[in-house]
Amino acid sequence: MATINSFLFLLLSSVLHLLLFGCSEKVEAYRFEEMTANLRLQSHVVSLSSFMPAGVCSTPAQGTKTSSRLLQVAHKHGPCSPLKEGKAKVPSFHEILIDDQARVKSIHSKISNNADPPAVDSLAKIPATSGQSLGTGNFVVTIGIGTPKQPFTVIFDTGSDLTWIQCQPCAGQCYSQQDPIFKPSASSTYSNISCNSASCNQLQSATGNSRPCGSTCIYQIQYGDGSYSLGYFAADTLALSSSDVFPKFKFGCGENNQGLFGSADGLLGLGRDQVSMVSQTAKKYKKLFSYCLPPTSSSTGFLAFGSQAGASSSARYTPLIKDSNNPSFYFITITGISVGGKNLSIPQSVFTTSGAVIDSGTVITRLPPAAYSALRTAFRQGMTKYPTAPAISILDTCYNLNGYSKVTTPTIVLHFGGGTDLNVDPSGILVRATSTQYCLAFAGNSAATDVAILGNMQQQTFEVIYNVAGGKLGFGAGACS
Ligand SMILES: *[C@@H]1O[C@H](CO)[C@@H](O)[C@H](O)[C@H]1NC(C)=O
Ligand SMILES: *[C@@H]1O[C@H](CO)[C@@H](O)[C@H](O)[C@H]1NC(C)=O
Protein backbone atom coordinates (compact mmCIF):
# COMPACT_ATOMS: atom_id res chain seq x y z
CA MET A 1 0.00 0.00 0.00
CA ALA A 2 2.73 2.32 1.04
CA THR A 3 4.66 1.60 -2.16
CA ILE A 4 1.57 2.18 -4.30
CA ASN A 5 0.89 5.42 -2.48
CA SER A 6 4.39 6.64 -2.89
CA PHE A 7 4.32 5.55 -6.55
CA LEU A 8 1.09 7.50 -7.06
CA PHE A 9 2.59 10.41 -5.24
CA LEU A 10 5.67 10.32 -7.45
CA LEU A 11 3.53 10.06 -10.57
CA LEU A 12 1.28 12.89 -9.48
CA SER A 13 4.13 15.12 -8.51
CA SER A 14 5.89 14.45 -11.83
CA VAL A 15 2.73 15.35 -13.72
CA LEU A 16 2.35 18.41 -11.55
CA HIS A 17 5.98 19.29 -12.04
CA LEU A 18 5.58 18.96 -15.80
CA LEU A 19 2.42 21.03 -15.76
CA LEU A 20 3.84 23.70 -13.53
CA PHE A 21 7.49 23.92 -14.37
CA GLY A 22 7.77 22.28 -17.80
CA CYS A 23 5.74 25.09 -19.20
CA SER A 24 7.29 27.86 -17.18
CA GLU A 25 10.78 26.64 -18.07
CA LYS A 26 9.87 27.31 -21.67
CA VAL A 27 8.58 30.73 -20.72
CA GLU A 28 11.73 31.38 -18.73
CA ALA A 29 13.92 30.28 -21.63
CA TYR A 30 11.96 32.52 -23.96
CA ARG A 31 12.20 35.45 -21.56
CA PHE A 32 15.91 34.85 -21.20
CA GLU A 33 16.44 34.89 -24.97
CA GLU A 34 14.41 38.04 -25.31
CA MET A 35 16.35 39.64 -22.50
CA THR A 36 19.73 38.74 -23.97
CA ALA A 37 18.60 39.98 -27.39
CA ASN A 38 17.64 43.29 -25.80
CA LEU A 39 20.89 43.38 -23.90
CA ARG A 40 22.71 42.79 -27.16
CA LEU A 41 20.97 45.85 -28.60
CA GLN A 42 21.77 47.87 -25.52
CA SER A 43 25.31 46.85 -24.67
CA HIS A 44 28.51 45.20 -25.79
CA VAL A 45 30.58 42.97 -23.56
CA VAL A 46 34.14 43.35 -24.76
CA SER A 47 37.32 41.68 -23.65
CA LEU A 48 39.98 44.32 -22.99
CA SER A 49 42.59 42.14 -24.70
CA SER A 50 40.78 42.80 -28.01
CA PHE A 51 41.93 46.44 -27.81
CA MET A 52 45.58 45.45 -27.70
CA PRO A 53 47.28 44.80 -31.03
CA ALA A 54 49.08 41.47 -31.12
CA GLY A 55 52.81 41.42 -31.85
CA VAL A 56 52.27 39.57 -35.11
CA CYS A 57 50.09 40.29 -38.11
CA SER A 58 47.12 38.07 -38.78
CA THR A 59 45.64 38.29 -42.28
CA PRO A 60 42.37 36.77 -43.50
CA ALA A 61 42.71 33.17 -44.73
CA GLN A 62 43.75 32.76 -48.37
CA GLY A 63 40.87 32.21 -50.74
CA THR A 64 38.36 34.26 -48.73
CA LYS A 65 36.52 37.11 -50.39
CA THR A 66 38.62 39.57 -48.39
CA SER A 67 42.00 38.09 -49.29
CA SER A 68 41.22 38.31 -53.02
CA ARG A 69 40.35 42.02 -52.93
CA LEU A 70 42.60 44.33 -54.87
CA LEU A 71 44.78 45.99 -52.25
CA GLN A 72 45.53 45.02 -48.69
CA VAL A 73 45.04 47.85 -46.19
CA ALA A 74 47.24 48.08 -43.12
CA HIS A 75 47.60 50.54 -40.31
CA LYS A 76 50.62 52.80 -40.95
CA HIS A 77 52.28 51.66 -37.73
CA GLY A 78 52.12 48.09 -36.44
CA PRO A 79 52.94 44.52 -37.34
CA CYS A 80 50.83 44.41 -40.54
CA SER A 81 52.34 47.55 -42.05
CA PRO A 82 54.64 46.98 -45.04
CA LEU A 83 56.54 50.00 -43.71
CA LYS A 84 59.36 48.99 -41.45
CA GLU A 85 59.40 51.64 -38.80
CA GLY A 86 62.66 52.40 -37.14
CA LYS A 87 63.72 55.29 -39.30
CA ALA A 88 60.38 56.93 -38.58
CA LYS A 89 59.32 57.17 -34.98
CA VAL A 90 55.96 55.68 -33.99
CA PRO A 91 53.87 58.54 -32.55
CA SER A 92 52.46 58.33 -29.04
CA PHE A 93 48.70 58.25 -28.45
CA HIS A 94 48.85 61.90 -27.40
CA GLU A 95 50.72 62.86 -30.59
CA ILE A 96 48.14 60.99 -32.70
CA LEU A 97 45.38 63.07 -31.07
CA ILE A 98 47.29 66.32 -31.67
CA ASP A 99 47.81 65.44 -35.36
CA ASP A 100 44.15 64.46 -35.58
CA GLN A 101 43.09 67.84 -34.22
CA ALA A 102 45.32 69.59 -36.76
CA ARG A 103 43.61 67.67 -39.57
CA VAL A 104 40.16 68.48 -38.18
CA LYS A 105 41.05 72.17 -37.89
CA SER A 106 42.10 72.30 -41.50
CA ILE A 107 38.92 70.51 -42.64
CA HIS A 108 36.91 73.02 -40.63
CA SER A 109 38.72 75.96 -42.18
CA LYS A 110 38.22 74.50 -45.67
CA ILE A 111 34.54 73.69 -45.20
CA SER A 112 33.57 76.90 -43.56
CA ASN A 113 29.89 77.32 -42.77
CA ASN A 114 30.84 80.48 -41.02
CA ALA A 115 30.80 83.87 -42.70
CA ASP A 116 33.20 85.10 -40.00
CA PRO A 117 36.91 85.05 -40.71
CA PRO A 118 38.73 82.04 -39.23
CA ALA A 119 40.02 82.24 -35.67
CA VAL A 120 43.44 83.78 -35.16
CA ASP A 121 45.21 80.57 -34.16
CA SER A 122 44.08 78.75 -37.30
CA LEU A 123 45.35 81.64 -39.42
CA ALA A 124 48.70 81.32 -37.73
CA LYS A 125 48.95 77.62 -38.47
CA ILE A 126 47.42 77.37 -41.91
CA PRO A 127 48.84 79.54 -44.66
CA ALA A 128 46.04 81.62 -46.17
CA THR A 129 47.03 80.58 -49.69
CA SER A 130 46.82 76.88 -49.02
CA GLY A 131 43.66 75.36 -50.41
CA GLN A 132 44.64 71.83 -49.44
CA SER A 133 45.61 71.43 -45.88
CA LEU A 134 44.98 68.11 -44.23
CA GLY A 135 46.81 65.94 -41.78
CA THR A 136 48.11 62.80 -43.30
CA GLY A 137 46.01 59.79 -42.36
CA ASN A 138 46.77 56.39 -40.98
CA PHE A 139 46.19 53.59 -43.45
CA VAL A 140 48.51 52.43 -46.20
CA VAL A 141 48.29 50.36 -49.40
CA THR A 142 50.95 49.34 -51.92
CA ILE A 143 50.66 50.46 -55.55
CA GLY A 144 52.95 50.17 -58.58
CA ILE A 145 54.19 53.12 -60.68
CA GLY A 146 56.38 53.28 -63.79
CA THR A 147 57.80 50.91 -66.43
CA PRO A 148 59.25 48.64 -65.20
CA LYS A 149 56.80 48.87 -62.32
CA GLN A 150 58.15 49.81 -58.90
CA PRO A 151 56.19 49.24 -55.66
CA PHE A 152 55.31 52.18 -53.40
CA THR A 153 53.53 52.03 -50.06
CA VAL A 154 51.32 55.11 -49.76
CA ILE A 155 48.84 56.59 -47.29
CA PHE A 156 45.34 56.62 -48.76
CA ASP A 157 43.17 59.63 -48.14
CA THR A 158 39.54 60.31 -49.05
CA GLY A 159 39.98 63.93 -47.94
CA SER A 160 42.35 65.03 -50.72
CA ASP A 161 42.64 64.51 -54.47
CA LEU A 162 46.27 64.62 -55.61
CA THR A 163 48.33 61.42 -55.57
CA TRP A 164 52.07 61.96 -55.12
CA ILE A 165 55.24 60.02 -54.41
CA GLN A 166 58.76 61.18 -53.58
CA CYS A 167 60.93 61.56 -56.69
CA GLN A 168 64.62 61.66 -57.46
CA PRO A 169 66.78 63.64 -57.67
CA CYS A 170 65.07 65.28 -54.64
CA ALA A 171 66.19 68.75 -55.73
CA GLY A 172 64.75 70.10 -52.47
CA GLN A 173 64.76 67.43 -49.79
CA CYS A 174 63.21 64.01 -49.37
CA TYR A 175 62.59 62.28 -46.04
CA SER A 176 63.80 58.72 -45.64
CA GLN A 177 61.28 56.22 -46.96
CA GLN A 178 60.74 52.51 -47.12
CA ASP A 179 61.32 51.76 -50.81
CA PRO A 180 63.90 53.13 -53.23
CA ILE A 181 62.81 56.65 -54.27
CA PHE A 182 61.15 56.81 -57.72
CA LYS A 183 63.56 57.72 -60.49
CA PRO A 184 61.70 59.25 -63.47
CA SER A 185 64.62 58.70 -65.86
CA ALA A 186 64.48 54.95 -65.13
CA SER A 187 60.84 54.68 -66.24
CA SER A 188 60.26 54.43 -70.00
CA THR A 189 56.66 55.68 -69.69
CA TYR A 190 57.26 58.77 -67.52
CA SER A 191 56.39 62.20 -68.89
CA ASN A 192 56.16 65.71 -67.49
CA ILE A 193 52.85 67.56 -67.81
CA SER A 194 53.09 70.90 -69.54
CA CYS A 195 52.22 74.08 -67.79
CA ASN A 196 49.71 75.15 -70.42
CA SER A 197 47.68 71.94 -70.33
CA ALA A 198 44.12 71.50 -69.08
CA SER A 199 45.44 68.99 -66.52
CA CYS A 200 47.67 71.67 -65.02
CA ASN A 201 44.66 73.96 -64.65
CA GLN A 202 42.68 71.19 -62.96
CA LEU A 203 45.56 70.65 -60.59
CA GLN A 204 45.68 74.32 -59.67
CA SER A 205 42.02 74.26 -58.73
CA ALA A 206 42.43 70.99 -56.82
CA THR A 207 45.36 72.20 -54.75
CA GLY A 208 44.34 75.85 -54.54
CA ASN A 209 47.83 76.96 -55.49
CA SER A 210 48.82 78.84 -58.58
CA ARG A 211 52.52 78.70 -59.22
CA PRO A 212 54.39 80.71 -61.82
CA CYS A 213 54.29 78.83 -65.12
CA GLY A 214 57.55 77.76 -66.73
CA SER A 215 57.43 74.81 -69.10
CA THR A 216 56.62 72.02 -66.63
CA CYS A 217 53.56 72.09 -64.40
CA ILE A 218 54.55 72.43 -60.76
CA TYR A 219 52.38 71.35 -57.83
CA GLN A 220 52.53 72.26 -54.20
CA ILE A 221 50.39 70.66 -51.53
CA GLN A 222 50.33 71.61 -47.90
CA TYR A 223 48.74 69.67 -45.07
CA GLY A 224 47.27 71.06 -41.84
CA ASP A 225 49.97 69.53 -39.66
CA GLY A 226 52.69 71.48 -41.47
CA SER A 227 53.59 68.62 -43.82
CA TYR A 228 54.06 69.44 -47.49
CA SER A 229 55.05 68.07 -50.88
CA LEU A 230 56.26 70.08 -53.86
CA GLY A 231 57.42 68.96 -57.28
CA TYR A 232 56.51 68.28 -60.91
CA PHE A 233 53.05 67.24 -62.03
CA ALA A 234 53.73 64.14 -64.11
CA ALA A 235 52.16 61.16 -65.86
CA ASP A 236 53.17 57.51 -65.75
CA THR A 237 51.62 54.05 -65.61
CA LEU A 238 49.76 53.17 -62.40
CA ALA A 239 49.39 49.45 -61.71
CA LEU A 240 47.21 48.08 -58.92
CA SER A 241 47.50 44.49 -60.16
CA SER A 242 48.56 42.78 -63.39
CA SER A 243 45.14 43.44 -64.90
CA ASP A 244 44.39 46.82 -63.34
CA VAL A 245 46.79 49.11 -65.18
CA PHE A 246 46.30 52.80 -65.99
CA PRO A 247 48.68 54.40 -68.51
CA LYS A 248 49.32 58.16 -68.20
CA PHE A 249 48.06 58.36 -64.62
CA LYS A 250 48.63 61.91 -63.35
CA PHE A 251 50.43 62.33 -60.05
CA GLY A 252 52.87 64.54 -58.23
CA CYS A 253 56.57 63.72 -58.54
CA GLY A 254 57.69 65.23 -55.24
CA GLU A 255 61.19 66.63 -55.05
CA ASN A 256 60.71 68.55 -51.82
CA ASN A 257 58.75 66.71 -49.15
CA GLN A 258 58.67 67.00 -45.39
CA GLY A 259 56.28 66.06 -42.64
CA LEU A 260 54.38 63.40 -40.82
CA PHE A 261 54.31 60.79 -43.55
CA GLY A 262 56.23 58.25 -41.44
CA SER A 263 58.24 56.18 -43.86
CA ALA A 264 55.37 56.03 -46.39
CA ASP A 265 56.44 56.71 -49.99
CA GLY A 266 53.65 59.19 -50.68
CA LEU A 267 49.89 59.54 -50.73
CA LEU A 268 46.98 58.15 -52.78
CA GLY A 269 44.28 60.82 -53.23
CA LEU A 270 40.76 59.34 -53.16
CA GLY A 271 38.82 62.62 -52.90
CA ARG A 272 35.94 63.22 -55.32
CA ASP A 273 37.38 66.06 -57.41
CA GLN A 274 38.93 65.92 -60.88
CA VAL A 275 42.57 64.95 -60.34
CA SER A 276 41.80 62.24 -57.78
CA MET A 277 42.49 58.60 -58.52
CA VAL A 278 38.73 57.93 -58.34
CA SER A 279 38.14 60.42 -61.17
CA GLN A 280 41.12 59.29 -63.25
CA THR A 281 40.04 55.64 -63.19
CA ALA A 282 36.32 56.37 -63.71
CA LYS A 283 36.16 54.61 -67.09
CA LYS A 284 37.14 51.26 -65.63
CA TYR A 285 35.83 51.51 -62.07
CA LYS A 286 32.75 53.74 -62.61
CA LYS A 287 33.71 55.80 -59.54
CA LEU A 288 32.97 52.89 -57.24
CA PHE A 289 35.35 51.90 -54.46
CA SER A 290 35.24 50.51 -50.96
CA TYR A 291 37.49 49.79 -48.05
CA CYS A 292 37.49 47.97 -44.77
CA LEU A 293 39.65 49.45 -42.03
CA PRO A 294 40.92 46.83 -39.58
CA PRO A 295 40.09 47.17 -35.84
CA THR A 296 43.71 46.79 -34.71
CA SER A 297 47.14 47.36 -36.23
CA SER A 298 47.74 43.60 -36.11
CA SER A 299 44.99 42.81 -38.60
CA THR A 300 44.44 43.88 -42.20
CA GLY A 301 41.60 45.23 -44.30
CA PHE A 302 41.20 45.96 -48.01
CA LEU A 303 40.79 48.70 -50.58
CA ALA A 304 38.76 47.59 -53.60
CA PHE A 305 37.70 49.27 -56.84
CA GLY A 306 34.98 48.76 -59.43
CA SER A 307 33.41 45.31 -59.58
CA GLN A 308 35.43 44.18 -56.57
CA ALA A 309 33.90 46.88 -54.37
CA GLY A 310 30.53 46.77 -52.63
CA ALA A 311 30.29 43.01 -52.18
CA SER A 312 28.68 43.18 -48.71
CA SER A 313 25.18 41.92 -49.33
CA SER A 314 24.01 43.35 -46.00
CA ALA A 315 25.14 46.89 -46.83
CA ARG A 316 22.75 49.75 -46.09
CA TYR A 317 23.06 53.01 -48.03
CA THR A 318 22.73 56.71 -47.30
CA PRO A 319 22.77 59.49 -49.93
CA LEU A 320 26.21 60.87 -50.79
CA ILE A 321 25.92 64.61 -51.18
CA LYS A 322 28.02 66.85 -53.41
CA ASP A 323 28.97 70.37 -52.39
CA SER A 324 30.31 72.44 -55.27
CA ASN A 325 32.09 74.75 -52.82
CA ASN A 326 33.98 71.78 -51.38
CA PRO A 327 34.31 69.41 -54.33
CA SER A 328 36.91 67.09 -52.71
CA PHE A 329 34.80 65.99 -49.76
CA TYR A 330 32.18 63.27 -49.38
CA PHE A 331 29.19 64.78 -47.59
CA ILE A 332 26.56 62.69 -45.79
CA THR A 333 23.59 63.47 -43.51
CA ILE A 334 23.52 62.49 -39.84
CA THR A 335 19.96 62.44 -38.45
CA GLY A 336 20.39 61.09 -34.92
CA ILE A 337 22.31 59.00 -32.39
CA SER A 338 21.16 56.13 -30.20
CA VAL A 339 23.01 55.08 -27.06
CA GLY A 340 22.14 51.81 -25.31
CA GLY A 341 19.20 51.33 -27.67
CA LYS A 342 17.66 54.75 -26.88
CA ASN A 343 17.42 57.50 -29.48
CA LEU A 344 18.80 60.71 -27.98
CA SER A 345 16.63 63.77 -28.30
CA ILE A 346 18.79 66.01 -30.45
CA PRO A 347 17.01 68.64 -32.58
CA GLN A 348 17.46 68.05 -36.34
CA SER A 349 18.72 71.62 -36.65
CA VAL A 350 21.89 70.59 -34.76
CA PHE A 351 22.89 68.33 -37.66
CA THR A 352 21.60 70.53 -40.48
CA THR A 353 23.57 73.49 -39.10
CA SER A 354 26.86 71.57 -39.10
CA GLY A 355 26.52 69.23 -42.05
CA ALA A 356 28.76 66.14 -42.09
CA VAL A 357 31.54 64.50 -44.09
CA ILE A 358 33.06 61.04 -44.01
CA ASP A 359 36.86 61.00 -43.93
CA SER A 360 39.38 58.13 -43.96
CA GLY A 361 42.12 60.28 -42.41
CA THR A 362 40.38 61.69 -39.32
CA VAL A 363 40.73 59.25 -36.42
CA ILE A 364 38.10 60.36 -33.87
CA THR A 365 34.55 61.23 -35.01
CA ARG A 366 33.70 64.89 -34.37
CA LEU A 367 30.11 65.84 -33.57
CA PRO A 368 28.33 69.19 -33.20
CA PRO A 369 28.70 70.32 -29.54
CA ALA A 370 25.00 69.73 -28.67
CA ALA A 371 25.04 66.23 -30.19
CA TYR A 372 28.29 65.31 -28.48
CA SER A 373 27.11 66.45 -25.06
CA ALA A 374 23.90 64.37 -25.41
CA LEU A 375 26.00 61.35 -26.44
CA ARG A 376 28.43 61.87 -23.58
CA THR A 377 25.69 62.17 -20.96
CA ALA A 378 23.97 58.98 -22.11
CA PHE A 379 27.26 57.11 -22.40
CA ARG A 380 28.38 58.14 -18.92
CA GLN A 381 25.02 56.97 -17.52
CA GLY A 382 25.72 53.55 -19.00
CA MET A 383 29.24 53.41 -17.57
CA THR A 384 28.63 54.46 -13.94
CA LYS A 385 30.00 51.21 -12.55
CA TYR A 386 33.51 51.99 -13.79
CA PRO A 387 35.92 54.40 -12.09
CA THR A 388 36.58 57.48 -14.19
CA ALA A 389 40.02 58.65 -15.34
CA PRO A 390 41.36 62.10 -16.35
CA ALA A 391 40.63 63.49 -19.82
CA ILE A 392 43.33 63.14 -22.44
CA SER A 393 43.58 65.86 -25.08
CA ILE A 394 40.23 66.01 -26.96
CA LEU A 395 38.86 62.91 -25.17
CA ASP A 396 36.96 63.92 -22.04
CA THR A 397 35.15 60.70 -21.06
CA CYS A 398 37.74 58.24 -19.80
CA TYR A 399 37.73 55.24 -17.46
CA ASN A 400 40.30 53.48 -15.36
CA LEU A 401 39.82 49.81 -16.23
CA ASN A 402 42.76 48.58 -14.17
CA GLY A 403 41.94 45.08 -12.92
CA TYR A 404 39.11 44.48 -15.39
CA SER A 405 39.41 41.84 -18.09
CA LYS A 406 36.08 42.75 -19.71
CA VAL A 407 34.07 45.92 -20.10
CA THR A 408 30.33 46.33 -20.78
CA THR A 409 29.63 49.45 -22.83
CA PRO A 410 26.36 50.83 -24.13
CA THR A 411 25.89 50.39 -27.89
CA ILE A 412 26.24 53.49 -30.07
CA VAL A 413 24.24 53.69 -33.29
CA LEU A 414 24.62 56.60 -35.70
CA HIS A 415 21.51 57.29 -37.81
CA PHE A 416 21.92 58.63 -41.34
CA GLY A 417 19.69 60.03 -44.04
CA GLY A 418 17.69 57.35 -45.86
CA GLY A 419 17.06 55.48 -42.59
CA THR A 420 20.51 53.87 -42.57
CA ASP A 421 22.14 52.98 -39.27
CA LEU A 422 25.77 52.42 -38.35
CA ASN A 423 25.95 50.21 -35.27
CA VAL A 424 29.48 51.19 -34.25
CA ASP A 425 31.77 48.22 -33.60
CA PRO A 426 33.12 48.01 -30.01
CA SER A 427 36.57 48.87 -31.45
CA GLY A 428 35.11 52.30 -32.35
CA ILE A 429 33.38 53.01 -29.02
CA LEU A 430 36.31 52.95 -26.61
CA VAL A 431 39.90 53.76 -27.49
CA ARG A 432 42.82 52.49 -25.42
CA ALA A 433 44.93 55.44 -24.26
CA THR A 434 47.20 53.53 -21.86
CA SER A 435 47.20 50.00 -20.51
CA THR A 436 44.57 51.00 -17.95
CA GLN A 437 42.93 54.14 -19.38
CA TYR A 438 40.18 53.81 -21.98
CA CYS A 439 38.20 56.74 -23.41
CA LEU A 440 35.00 57.28 -25.36
CA ALA A 441 36.27 57.57 -28.96
CA PHE A 442 34.15 60.59 -29.92
CA ALA A 443 34.72 64.32 -29.49
CA GLY A 444 32.72 67.51 -29.81
CA ASN A 445 33.43 70.34 -32.22
CA SER A 446 33.95 73.72 -30.61
CA ALA A 447 31.47 75.59 -32.83
CA ALA A 448 27.95 74.51 -33.80
CA THR A 449 28.73 75.52 -37.39
CA ASP A 450 31.83 73.30 -37.69
CA VAL A 451 31.22 70.35 -39.98
CA ALA A 452 30.75 66.95 -38.27
CA ILE A 453 33.29 64.32 -39.37
CA LEU A 454 32.72 60.57 -39.40
CA GLY A 455 36.21 59.41 -38.47
CA ASN A 456 38.03 56.19 -39.22
CA MET A 457 37.74 54.53 -35.78
CA GLN A 458 33.98 54.44 -36.16
CA GLN A 459 34.29 53.00 -39.69
CA GLN A 460 36.45 50.07 -38.54
CA THR A 461 35.29 46.53 -39.52
CA PHE A 462 32.64 47.84 -41.97
CA GLU A 463 32.94 47.73 -45.72
CA VAL A 464 32.47 51.43 -46.47
CA ILE A 465 31.22 51.63 -50.03
CA TYR A 466 31.63 54.87 -52.00
CA ASN A 467 29.27 54.62 -54.94
CA VAL A 468 30.09 58.10 -56.21
CA ALA A 469 28.38 57.68 -59.58
CA GLY A 470 25.27 56.27 -57.89
CA GLY A 471 25.30 59.06 -55.27
CA LYS A 472 25.28 56.77 -52.26
CA LEU A 473 27.50 55.59 -49.42
CA GLY A 474 27.07 52.12 -47.91
CA PHE A 475 28.05 50.37 -44.69
CA GLY A 476 28.36 46.57 -44.69
CA ALA A 477 29.06 44.99 -41.30
CA GLY A 478 31.83 42.55 -40.46
CA ALA A 479 33.77 42.98 -43.69
CA CYS A 480 37.45 42.84 -42.74
CA SER A 481 37.75 39.16 -41.84
C1 LIG B 1 60.74 67.09 -66.37
O1 LIG B 1 60.94 68.44 -66.06
C2 LIG B 1 62.12 68.68 -65.28
C3 LIG B 1 62.13 70.18 -64.98
O2 LIG B 1 61.92 70.95 -66.11
C4 LIG B 1 63.37 68.23 -66.01
O3 LIG B 1 64.49 68.40 -65.20
C5 LIG B 1 63.22 66.76 -66.40
O4 LIG B 1 64.29 66.33 -67.18
C6 LIG B 1 61.93 66.55 -67.17
N1 LIG B 1 61.76 65.12 -67.43
C7 LIG B 1 61.33 64.65 -68.61
C8 LIG B 1 61.28 63.16 -68.75
O5 LIG B 1 61.03 65.39 -69.53
C1 LIG C 1 15.69 60.17 -33.17
O1 LIG C 1 15.12 61.32 -32.57
C2 LIG C 1 15.10 62.49 -33.38
C3 LIG C 1 14.52 63.62 -32.55
O2 LIG C 1 15.19 63.78 -31.37
C4 LIG C 1 14.29 62.21 -34.63
O3 LIG C 1 14.30 63.36 -35.44
C5 LIG C 1 14.87 61.03 -35.36
O4 LIG C 1 14.10 60.73 -36.49
C6 LIG C 1 14.94 59.82 -34.45
N1 LIG C 1 15.63 58.77 -35.19
C7 LIG C 1 15.30 57.47 -35.08
C8 LIG C 1 16.08 56.54 -35.92
O5 LIG C 1 14.42 57.08 -34.36
Side-chain angles (χ1 to χ4, degrees):
M1 199 59 186
T3 48
I4 291 175
N5 267 350
S6 56
F7 173 76
L8 269 176
F9 175 77
L10 266 176
L11 191 77
L12 260 174
S13 63
S14 313
V15 169
L16 260 173
H17 183 92
L18 256 175
L19 276 173
L20 281 173
F21 299 104
C23 232
S24 73
E25 259 165 25
K26 258 185 217 153
V27 170
E28 283 306 309
Y30 171 74
R31 283 217 184 109
F32 184 71
E33 257 170 42
E34 192 186 50
M35 268 165 54
T36 48
N38 279 339
L39 272 179
R40 244 181 274 130
L41 279 178
Q42 289 166 10
S43 60
H44 296 290
V45 181
V46 198
S47 161
L48 290 189
S49 63
S50 70
F51 288 94
M52 270 169 274
V56 291
C57 178
S58 60
T59 52
Q62 284 302 306
T64 61
K65 232 193 243 169
T66 304
S67 74
S68 65
R69 296 299 184 89
L70 213 42
L71 301 172
Q72 193 172 76
V73 166
H75 212 271
K76 192 162 64 173
H77 309 288
C80 289
S81 176
L83 303 171
K84 303 283 168 287
E85 303 296 341
K87 284 179 191 160
K89 177 174 145 290
V90 177
S92 70
F93 183 68
H94 201 258
E95 284 165 338
I96 289 171
L97 294 180
I98 289 170
D99 295 347
D100 199 43
Q101 189 59 10
R103 180 178 179 96
V104 165
K105 260 192 173 174
S106 61
I107 292 176
H108 286 161
S109 74
K110 278 207 82 183
I111 307 174
S112 181
N113 295 311
N114 221 331
D116 299 338
V120 174
D121 70 327
S122 66
L123 270 181
K125 281 195 180 126
I126 301 152
T129 54
S130 120
Q132 276 290 3
S133 49
L134 296 176
T136 48
N138 308 279
F139 294 96
V140 293
V141 292
T142 302
I143 58 174
I145 292 181
T147 310
K149 170 176 97 171
Q150 281 186 65
F152 298 101
T153 296
V154 291
I155 295 160
F156 75 89
D157 183 12
T158 62
S160 63
D161 298 310
L162 179 73
T163 298
W164 63 266
I165 54 171
Q166 295 203 99
C167 273
Q168 290 195 42
C170 296
Q173 51 179 341
C174 290
Y175 54 84
S176 63
Q177 70 173 38
Q178 169 80 13
D179 303 292
I181 292 177
F182 182 67
K183 199 172 175 186
S185 60
S187 171
S188 63
T189 41
Y190 177 91
S191 63
N192 284 330
I193 288 172
S194 138
C195 204
N196 302 312
S197 63
S199 306
C200 194
N201 280 333
Q202 280 177 5
L203 170 84
Q204 307 284 20
S205 70
T207 56
N209 284 302
S210 47
R211 307 254 332 163
C213 188
S215 58
T216 303
C217 185
I218 289 173
Y219 79 92
Q220 176 181 0
I221 188 159
Q222 214 143 9
Y223 301 90
D225 54 20
S227 308
Y228 63 87
S229 173
L230 189 153
Y232 299 114
F233 195 37
D236 205 340
T237 303
L238 168 72
L240 302 182
S241 70
S242 52
S243 57
D244 293 65
V245 176
F246 302 90
K248 295 196 165 59
F249 179 76
K250 288 166 238 155
F251 67 101
C253 202
E255 297 224 14
N256 191 354
N257 322 288
Q258 285 303 309
L260 299 171
F261 306 112
S263 55
D265 305 332
L267 187 142
L268 182 66
L270 295 177
R272 70 183 296 169
D273 208 5
Q274 285 169 323
V275 296
S276 88
M277 188 236 167
V278 178
S279 300
Q280 291 196 55
T281 58
K283 240 189 203 148
K284 183 173 172 77
Y285 295 143
K286 315 269 186 288
K287 293 197 177 185
L288 174 64
F289 70 99
S290 72
Y291 55 68
C292 186
L293 307 177
T296 69
S297 63
S298 56
S299 51
T300 58
F302 62 80
L303 174 61
F305 293 94
S307 58
Q308 283 172 307
S312 300
S313 51
S314 65
R316 305 267 315 268
Y317 288 87
T318 185
L320 202 50
I321 300 150
K322 196 172 175 173
D323 177 353
S324 53
N325 292 322
N326 300 287
S328 303
F329 290 100
Y330 295 100
F331 285 83
I332 50 179
T333 308
I334 303 178
T335 57
I337 302 171
S338 291
V339 176
K342 266 204 219 121
N343 185 15
L344 306 177
S345 87
I346 303 167
Q348 279 304 300
S349 60
V350 167
F351 297 111
T352 51
T353 300
S354 66
V357 295
I358 180 169
D359 181 33
S360 69
T362 299
V363 180
I364 303 287
T365 289
R366 301 303 203 281
L367 294 170
Y372 177 67
S373 79
L375 165 68
R376 179 178 58 191
T377 302
F379 188 80
R380 285 178 178 175
Q381 277 164 5
M383 294 287 285
T384 46
K385 70 170 179 172
Y386 299 107
T388 57
I392 170 163
S393 178
I394 53 167
L395 305 176
D396 66 4
T397 297
C398 300
Y399 298 92
N400 181 349
L401 299 183
N402 193 17
Y404 289 91
S405 61
K406 279 183 181 157
V407 59
T408 304
T409 72
T411 54
I412 298 181
V413 177
L414 304 176
H415 305 295
F416 295 98
T420 291
D421 292 341
L422 178 67
N423 186 353
V424 178
D425 186 77
S427 65
I429 292 179
L430 282 179
V431 59
R432 178 176 177 265
T434 70
S435 60
T436 55
Q437 188 177 354
Y438 291 74
C439 303
L440 173 63
F442 285 78
N445 283 332
S446 47
T449 48
D450 285 341
V451 76
I453 304 169
L454 180 58
N456 61 40
M457 279 203 71
Q458 285 66 36
Q459 300 173 38
Q460 283 170 179
T461 74
F462 286 86
E463 179 178 15
V464 184
I465 305 157
Y466 293 70
N467 187 335
V468 185
K472 56 184 188 172
L473 178 86
F475 301 106
C480 281
S481 51

